[in-house]
């Protein structure tokens, strides 16, 4: 089980709200179990929003403060 799938399963089990934000093409990487049991929690985000200035600034801030430099790959922005 993947981390997102397990987190989703636990959230649903404890009656918490759950949202999986998916960019273009991300749904194909969701597990069969998540697609079967958590599909109504999938929120598709358009490419234009993902590449907007405001979201890019938020990703930059999160990368600076939450992700260890050693865990950040050189191509993290394109992933």
């Amino acid at each position: 089980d993947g981390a997102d799938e397990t987190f989703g399963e636990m959230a649903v089990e404890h009656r918490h709200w759950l949202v999986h934000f998916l960019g273009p093409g991300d749904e194909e990487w969701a597990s069969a179990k998540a697609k079967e049991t958590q599909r109504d929690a999938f929120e598709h985000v358009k490419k234009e929003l993902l590449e907007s200035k405001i979201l890019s600034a938020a990703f930059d801030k999160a990368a600076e403060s939450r992700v260890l430099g050693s865990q950040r790959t050189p191509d993290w922005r394109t992933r």
Side-chain angles (χ1 to χ4, degrees), residues 2-77:
D4 290 341
E5 176 185 303
T6 302
F7 170 81
E9 193 170 47
M10 296 299 291
V12 170
E13 182 179 319
H14 290 91
R15 300 177 186 228
H16 291 274
W17 289 95
L18 170 67
V19 178
H20 292 293
F21 291 102
L22 303 173
D26 284 346
E27 189 167 343
E28 71 179 274
W29 300 104
S31 70
K33 186 175 181 181
K35 288 178 184 176
E36 180 182 327
T37 63
Q38 301 171 25
R39 185 179 292 277
D40 57 345
F42 290 0
E43 182 65 35
H44 295 273
V45 181
K46 293 181 180 181
K47 181 179 179 181
E48 295 78 22
L49 178 59
L50 287 173
E51 295 176 352
S52 68
K53 287 182 181 183
I54 192 134
L55 219 53
S56 292
F59 286 143
D60 287 341
K61 184 172 180 134
E64 291 170 8
S65 63
R66 297 186 68 194
V67 179
L68 295 174
S70 62
Q71 295 175 332
R72 196 172 25 226
T73 62
D75 65 340
W76 72 272
R77 287 181 188 277

